[in-house]
């Protein structure tokens, strides 16, 4: 994934998660995180012929965008644990949080 592709994917994911989280109250977000934990946070697809490391970094970009979207809507500290957890997992996938 080139840096330009990374920035483009991040921007798309950020807008998408911002739209998703914007309409949710705290309970709805908790349910979403509980039910989507495996599908959206802990696992990621690796397409046929795709380098698993590239897929992992792409997943890290998605998680960073998810964390930034959540924080931008709720403000710093409102969901600090969720944001920190997402950023931690993103780093584990090789995405450097700036």
């Amino acid at each position: 994934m080139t840096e330009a592709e990374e920035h483009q994917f991040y921007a798309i994911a950020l807008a998408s998660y911002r739209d998703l989280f914007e309409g949710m109250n705290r309970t709805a977000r908790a349910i979403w995180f509980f039910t989507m934990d495996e599908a959206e946070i802990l696992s990621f697809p690796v397409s046929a012929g795709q380098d698993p490391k590239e897929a992992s970094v792409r997943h890290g970009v998605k998680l960073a965008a998810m964390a930034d979207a959540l924080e931008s809507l709720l403000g710093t500290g409102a969901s600090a644990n969720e944001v920190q957890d997402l950023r931690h997992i993103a780093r584990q996938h090789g995405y450097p949080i700036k």
Side-chain angles (χ1 to χ4, degrees), residues 13-63:
L14 179 67
S16 176
Y17 284 111
R18 208 179 263 152
D19 288 345
L20 176 69
F21 296 143
E22 188 172 44
M24 292 183 183
N25 63 24
R26 182 181 172 111
T27 302
R29 269 191 318 279
I31 291 169
W32 186 88
F33 274 95
F34 178 75
T35 60
M36 299 305 284
D37 190 45
E38 181 65 30
E40 286 285 322
I41 298 170
L42 298 178
S43 62
F44 57 93
V46 179
S47 304
Q50 184 181 28
D51 177 21
K53 182 162 176 60
E54 181 182 334
S56 179
V57 170
R58 184 177 178 87
H59 186 65
V61 173
K62 179 182 92 168
L63 294 174

